[in-house]
Amino acid sequence: MASMMQPQIILLKEGTDTSQGKAQLLSNINAVTGVGDVVRTTLGPRGMDKLIHDDKGSVTISNDGATIMKLLDIVHPAAKILVDIAKSQDSEVGDGTTTVVLLAAEFLKEAKPFVEDGVHSQNLIRSYRTASTLAIEKVKELAVSIEGKSVEEKKGLLAKCAATTLSSKLIGGEKEFFATMVVDAVMAIGDDDRLNLIGIKKVPGGNMRDSFLVDGVAFKKTFSYAGFEQQPKKFLNPKILLLNIELELKSEKENAEIRLSDPSQYQSIVDAEWNIIYDKLDKCVESGAKVVLSRLAIGDLATQYFADRDIFCAGRVAEEDLNRVAAAAGGTVQTSVNNIIPEVLGTCEIFEEKQVGGERFNIFSGCPSGRTATIVLRGGADQFIEEAERSLHDAIMIVRRAVKNSTVVPGGGAIDMEISKYLRQHSRTIAGKSQLFINSQKHAMQSGEGASYGVDINTGGIADSFANFVWEPAVVKINAINAATEAACLILSVDETVKNPKSESAQGDAAGAMGRGRGGGRGRGMRRR
């Protein structure tokens, strides 16, 4: 009788939803495979695009896995893991975002029958990690180094990697044109890892082949005052002064107060304000600079002052563009015009303001440091140019990784099928259930007569991917296998999901308190203090 009177132990707040066991694991697997089905059709050179329309009315057309995953409003907690691995793949190597999502979804899809048959998920996890290690070792074994080549040969090989990436993008029809442009841009920044040294500027209008690469810096003409049109728009070997100060008359701050004992002193204060700005402008001119750029405003007085002395100026230049000019021209951004020495001035072979479509561009070319480049993209619809920018970003990342790692593998599914064959053969040497689990990690059958044979999308048959220059950096496959395996193992390790109830509003709390005051009960929840 005493045991029947024991109080009920309540651990979770009232309204908490808990799901556990095999049913919960299968639910997570179904959610992940559902997300994989969304992006499945975007894979490869014949992949389709997705049009995503959000509640703000903006429209995005893309077949980039990371972009699609980011824009999808996924609410399932397990499926959100796919968003994370797509972002990770995009930031680490730039390409293979769709691949990593599909790999993770396929791993879980293959694991589902075993889970339904009662296999413990830890057995699956252990086997998947073993298979991942074996697959990565096989990729490294099959990878071919592009080190030891001449500069021109290496640029040609890198262009093939970029073309492979671009073949599945919206601009795939002009992949050779853009691949060469991407390689030239990456080679221009040398060993510098900062991606923002390669600028991409979008100008609607024209066609894709109107796009061009500036071996230096280009940015849109900034807001200008009267007098700007009188300034020269082209210089040869000019000195460039980079500033982070305002060159305009400053209004007094709020609550500023000046007390005068003599009305004649007022004019001296006004003159002092003008003398301050003229002193700054005189020092800019004395520096010998013919191009003056500032991140802050250059007012109408300064604009006309520089125009009268045949000096070009631009204010409110974006910080990113100003830093790229500094990197390319060899200058240093100044926060004061005092003591401007020749060493802080930059230079370039040609500066000119040029019309590009409906926009005016300031272009600095032939820069001595040469550690930056700018791609000016042309095209019809805004959505098209946006997708072209995302495509070029992937290609730039791939070329950078190929430069750093210098090993490539055949594309067209060749490396995937060879790994599949290797894992299937290896699984036959393993005793026990692990043989089935490792064998399940394959996703295609070997159908060629060599490790470099892949699918030829032009003929519908098979072809030697290496001979056809369908290459991709080995790091793309290695990172994709690693990330997909970890995501699959993470989801397989979850056997319970706890969903906390939404916090009650203050009004709801007040109403509940009134109900309890009238004798209302609280149900099975924990007592509040």
mmCIF file of all heavy atoms in Angstrom, residues 508-523:
data_model
loop_
_atom_site.group_PDB
_atom_site.id
_atom_site.type_symbol
_atom_site.label_atom_id
_atom_site.label_comp_id
_atom_site.label_asym_id
_atom_site.label_seq_id
_atom_site.Cartn_x
_atom_site.Cartn_y
_atom_site.Cartn_z
ATOM 1 N N GLY A 508 -0.677 34.836 -20.766
ATOM 2 C CA GLY A 508 -1.068 33.465 -20.450
ATOM 3 C C GLY A 508 -0.747 33.111 -19.010
ATOM 4 O O GLY A 508 -1.509 32.447 -18.330
ATOM 5 N N ASP A 509 0.406 33.586 -18.523
ATOM 6 C CA ASP A 509 0.780 33.321 -17.139
ATOM 7 C C ASP A 509 -0.218 33.967 -16.175
ATOM 8 O O ASP A 509 -0.633 33.373 -15.178
ATOM 9 C CB ASP A 509 2.176 33.880 -16.854
ATOM 10 C CG ASP A 509 3.250 33.028 -17.524
ATOM 11 O OD1 ASP A 509 2.938 31.871 -17.878
ATOM 12 O OD2 ASP A 509 4.379 33.535 -17.697
ATOM 13 N N ALA A 510 -0.614 35.209 -16.513
ATOM 14 C CA ALA A 510 -1.554 35.917 -15.644
ATOM 15 C C ALA A 510 -2.903 35.211 -15.622
ATOM 16 O O ALA A 510 -3.539 35.054 -14.580
ATOM 17 C CB ALA A 510 -1.719 37.361 -16.114
ATOM 18 N N ALA A 511 -3.322 34.774 -16.827
ATOM 19 C CA ALA A 511 -4.614 34.082 -16.890
ATOM 20 C C ALA A 511 -4.573 32.779 -16.114
ATOM 21 O O ALA A 511 -5.518 32.408 -15.421
ATOM 22 C CB ALA A 511 -4.984 33.818 -18.358
ATOM 23 N N GLY A 512 -3.422 32.062 -16.205
ATOM 24 C CA GLY A 512 -3.296 30.804 -15.481
ATOM 25 C C GLY A 512 -3.320 31.038 -13.984
ATOM 26 O O GLY A 512 -3.917 30.278 -13.229
ATOM 27 N N ALA A 513 -2.670 32.137 -13.542
ATOM 28 C CA ALA A 513 -2.643 32.443 -12.107
ATOM 29 C C ALA A 513 -4.040 32.748 -11.597
ATOM 30 O O ALA A 513 -4.425 32.336 -10.498
ATOM 31 C CB ALA A 513 -1.703 33.620 -11.851
ATOM 32 N N MET A 514 -4.838 33.459 -12.420
ATOM 33 C CA MET A 514 -6.212 33.778 -12.011
ATOM 34 C C MET A 514 -7.036 32.497 -11.910
ATOM 35 O O MET A 514 -7.840 32.313 -11.012
ATOM 36 C CB MET A 514 -6.841 34.736 -13.024
ATOM 37 C CG MET A 514 -6.252 36.150 -12.981
ATOM 38 S SD MET A 514 -6.948 37.217 -14.248
ATOM 39 C CE MET A 514 -8.671 37.226 -13.748
ATOM 40 N N GLY A 515 -6.781 31.586 -12.866
ATOM 41 C CA GLY A 515 -7.532 30.324 -12.834
ATOM 42 C C GLY A 515 -7.210 29.526 -11.590
ATOM 43 O O GLY A 515 -8.091 28.949 -10.954
ATOM 44 N N ARG A 516 -5.910 29.518 -11.200
ATOM 45 C CA ARG A 516 -5.530 28.772 -9.999
ATOM 46 C C ARG A 516 -6.106 29.430 -8.754
ATOM 47 O O ARG A 516 -6.447 28.784 -7.792
ATOM 48 C CB ARG A 516 -3.993 28.706 -9.906
ATOM 49 C CG ARG A 516 -3.376 27.818 -10.971
ATOM 50 C CD ARG A 516 -1.915 27.544 -10.677
ATOM 51 N NE ARG A 516 -1.111 28.765 -10.665
ATOM 52 C CZ ARG A 516 -0.604 29.310 -11.765
ATOM 53 N NH1 ARG A 516 -0.843 28.780 -12.947
ATOM 54 N NH2 ARG A 516 0.145 30.396 -11.682
ATOM 55 N N GLY A 517 -6.245 30.755 -8.784
ATOM 56 C CA GLY A 517 -6.818 31.459 -7.637
ATOM 57 C C GLY A 517 -8.264 31.083 -7.421
ATOM 58 O O GLY A 517 -8.783 31.155 -6.317
ATOM 59 N N ARG A 518 -8.936 30.716 -8.541
ATOM 60 C CA ARG A 518 -10.333 30.315 -8.419
ATOM 61 C C ARG A 518 -10.480 28.815 -8.206
ATOM 62 O O ARG A 518 -11.554 28.256 -8.335
ATOM 63 C CB ARG A 518 -11.094 30.706 -9.692
ATOM 64 C CG ARG A 518 -11.130 32.217 -9.920
ATOM 65 C CD ARG A 518 -12.096 32.527 -11.048
ATOM 66 N NE ARG A 518 -12.166 33.942 -11.304
ATOM 67 C CZ ARG A 518 -11.503 34.555 -12.279
ATOM 68 N NH1 ARG A 518 -10.718 33.866 -13.076
ATOM 69 N NH2 ARG A 518 -11.619 35.860 -12.465
ATOM 70 N N GLY A 519 -9.398 28.178 -7.894
ATOM 71 C CA GLY A 519 -9.485 26.752 -7.604
ATOM 72 C C GLY A 519 -9.068 25.884 -8.770
ATOM 73 O O GLY A 519 -9.203 24.673 -8.712
ATOM 74 N N GLY A 520 -8.558 26.542 -9.864
ATOM 75 C CA GLY A 520 -8.134 25.753 -11.036
ATOM 76 C C GLY A 520 -6.879 24.962 -10.722
ATOM 77 O O GLY A 520 -6.017 25.398 -9.976
ATOM 78 N N GLY A 521 -6.735 23.764 -11.287
ATOM 79 C CA GLY A 521 -5.562 22.913 -11.085
ATOM 80 C C GLY A 521 -4.501 23.198 -12.122
ATOM 81 O O GLY A 521 -4.763 23.800 -13.142
ATOM 82 N N ARG A 522 -3.283 22.709 -11.859
ATOM 83 C CA ARG A 522 -2.168 22.908 -12.775
ATOM 84 C C ARG A 522 -1.866 21.686 -13.622
ATOM 85 O O ARG A 522 -0.969 21.707 -14.440
ATOM 86 C CB ARG A 522 -0.896 23.270 -11.992
ATOM 87 C CG ARG A 522 -0.887 24.707 -11.550
ATOM 88 C CD ARG A 522 0.499 25.098 -11.048
ATOM 89 N NE ARG A 522 1.560 24.684 -11.945
ATOM 90 C CZ ARG A 522 1.876 25.340 -13.047
ATOM 91 N NH1 ARG A 522 1.189 26.402 -13.413
ATOM 92 N NH2 ARG A 522 2.875 24.912 -13.800
ATOM 93 N N GLY A 523 -2.616 20.599 -13.429
ATOM 94 C CA GLY A 523 -2.345 19.417 -14.238
ATOM 95 C C GLY A 523 -1.120 18.682 -13.718
ATOM 96 O O GLY A 523 -0.798 18.714 -12.544
#
